[in-house]
Amino acid sequence: MVLEQQGSNLSDDPTLERSFRGHKDGVTSVGFNTNMKQLISGSEDGSIMLWNFKPHLRSYRYTDHEGPVLSVAVSSTGGIIASGSKDRTIRLWAQNISKSKSTLIKAHTGGVRRVAFTQDSCSLLSASDDKTIKVWSVAGQKFRQTLSGHSNWVRSAAFSGNGQYILSGGDDKTVRLWDLNQRACVHKYFDHTGAVLDVLFHPDSICVMACGADGAINVWDTRTHQLLQHYVGHTGPVEAMSVHPSGDLLLSASADTTAKVWDLREGHMCYTLQGHSKGVCAAAFSPEGDYFATASADASLLVWRTNMTTARATTRAPQPRSARGSSWPIRAASVK
């Protein structure tokens, strides 16, 4: 494991705590169980694995899907795990997955690239190669609506904190903001020059973020739709991101085999993490932000202790750099 520090003023460096191997092919997705006892992962080998953090407890493998598992998500309060697969299905699992069979949902005509829950765990979204996003009520797995507008595969989608909006990105190089009450796209962002591979809402939902095949990470203000920050540091496509619960830090995963930690408040890169032998496909902070995990095409998962004491009492949105005494925004921060 190699850690490179780039001008960070954070108090401590991330440290590698655990590694997990057991998948037979690349790991596409990762998430922490909210009880912090397990890590959940999905893989190109078609399986979902539950990894126990206590060394004496065994891991579990589940092979209900008939194709590669492209996404896993863990609800915050509902005790449910969701998975999406290239087999065009969604499966829901009880939190105690070791004793559970999955519930099958069929609706898409293409592979399911992303599943995600609202913060209250009442709703679920699925994004698909069929160019649509579908929204479901978790209770009873009731279908609610379809969002159509992307002209190519939808690679990623995420709910806003209040569950009213969805952000999506796909192979048509656009990022789209959807209002679920209006059942319509209310804004499109065109700043990426390649497929958009992951999207996120900042914890305050004022800002949105996306990364893509062009190697860039972009941050926009949803009120003005201005590009606030533009980060270029990876030497390959940026496959995935995760934002720290404080809103201060962004974790990115890249096909260049590295993960990077970015300081959103100061607008610069803090660390480059090297521990995988192939591209890093997924990354996730734990619910409290004290740990994060990276998952790779080398079939391994690494769990890191964050150690960085940047969490603030209040969540603050990323801001562009501004001159002393001037009101912002002046210009977007650009980091290379």
Side-chain angles (χ1 to χ4, degrees), residues 113-114 154-157 168-171 173-175 192 194-199 210-216 236-241 253-255 281:
R113 294 272 169 184
R114 185 59 53 94
V154 185
R155 294 271 183 175
S156 181
S168 64
D171 281 14
K173 306 178 186 179
T174 69
V175 176
H192 280 284
V196 178
L197 304 179
D198 200 10
V199 295
C211 63
D214 57 6
V238 184
E239 304 278 357
M241 304 177 296
S254 173
C281 305

Side-chain angles (χ1 to χ4, degrees), residues 168-189:
S168 64
D171 281 14
D172 61 6
K173 306 178 186 179
T174 69
V175 176
R176 296 173 185 244
L177 182 64
W178 308 82
D179 187 322
L180 294 182
N181 292 334
Q182 297 182 31
R183 296 174 174 257
C185 177
V186 293
H187 194 77
K188 301 174 189 176
Y189 302 93

Side-chain angles (χ1 to χ4, degrees), residues 57 75 122 152 196 223 250 268 293 308:
L57 295 178
S75 68
C122 292
N152 210 326
V196 178
R223 299 162 298 183
L250 182 71
H268 63 77
M308 295 170 274

Side-chain angles (χ1 to χ4, degrees), residues 30-291:
V30 64
F32 286 85
N33 198 324
T34 52
N35 61 19
M36 281 304 295
K37 294 180 180 180
Q38 294 121 355
L39 195 69
I40 314 294
S41 61
S43 170
E44 290 279 355
D45 66 11
S47 73
I48 296 168
M49 292 198 70
L50 182 150
W51 312 87
N52 282 294
F53 286 124
K54 291 184 177 179
H56 65 279
L57 295 178
R58 58 165 290 191
S59 59
Y60 294 88
R61 183 192 306 272
Y62 302 90
T63 56
D64 289 16
H65 281 292
E66 298 177 357
V69 177
L70 304 178
S71 179
V72 295
V74 184
S75 68
S76 60
T77 59
I80 301 293
I81 295 166
S83 58
S85 170
K86 199 170 182 179
D87 67 9
R88 306 179 183 181
T89 70
I90 304 158
R91 289 186 178 270
L92 299 180
W93 315 73
Q95 193 80 290
N96 187 4
I97 193 172
S98 62
K99 298 179 181 179
S100 173
K101 286 292 183 180
S102 62
T103 299
L104 177 66
I105 300 176
K106 289 184 176 181
H108 287 287
T109 59
V112 179
R113 294 272 169 184
R114 185 59 53 94
V115 289
F117 290 98
T118 50
Q119 286 187 4
D120 62 10
S121 304
C122 292
S123 298
L124 174 76
L125 66 74
S126 54
S128 171
D129 290 351
D130 65 12
K131 309 175 188 177
T132 71
I133 303 129
K134 294 185 183 292
V135 183
W136 313 81
S137 294
V138 174
Q141 297 84 56
K142 183 180 178 181
F143 172 73
R144 286 171 47 192
Q145 60 179 283
T146 297
L147 302 174
S148 300
H150 280 284
S151 60
N152 210 326
W153 293 357
V154 185
R155 294 271 183 175
S156 181
F159 282 108
S160 62
N162 62 9
Q164 180 182 344
Y165 296 94
I166 285 176
L167 189 70
S168 64
D171 281 14
D172 61 6
K173 306 178 186 179
T174 69
V175 176
R176 296 173 185 244
L177 182 64
W178 308 82
D179 187 322
L180 294 182
N181 292 334
Q182 297 182 31
R183 296 174 174 257
C185 177
V186 293
H187 194 77
K188 301 174 189 176
Y189 302 93
F190 296 98
D191 296 275
H192 280 284
T193 59
V196 178
L197 304 179
D198 200 10
V199 295
L200 289 175
F201 280 90
H202 189 267
D204 64 9
S205 291
I206 292 174
C207 295
V208 293
M209 312 170 194
C211 63
D214 57 6
I217 301 168
N218 290 321
V219 182
W220 298 273
D221 188 317
T222 58
R223 299 162 298 183
T224 64
H225 302 302
Q226 180 183 5
L227 179 65
L228 292 180
Q229 295 177 344
H230 174 75
Y231 297 102
V232 179
H234 286 288
T235 58
V238 184
E239 304 278 357
M241 304 177 296
S242 181
V243 65
H244 190 274
S246 69
D248 291 344
L249 302 173
L250 182 71
L251 174 66
S252 60
S254 173
D256 66 8
T257 75
T258 72
K260 292 181 185 290
V261 179
W262 309 81
D263 188 325
L264 293 173
R265 296 182 76 248
E266 300 297 328
H268 63 77
M269 181 168 52
C270 303
Y271 298 101
T272 296
L273 305 166
Q274 297 176 330
H276 293 287
S277 61
K278 293 183 179 180
V280 186
C281 305
F285 277 109
S286 64
E288 297 299 321
D290 45 354
Y291 293 89

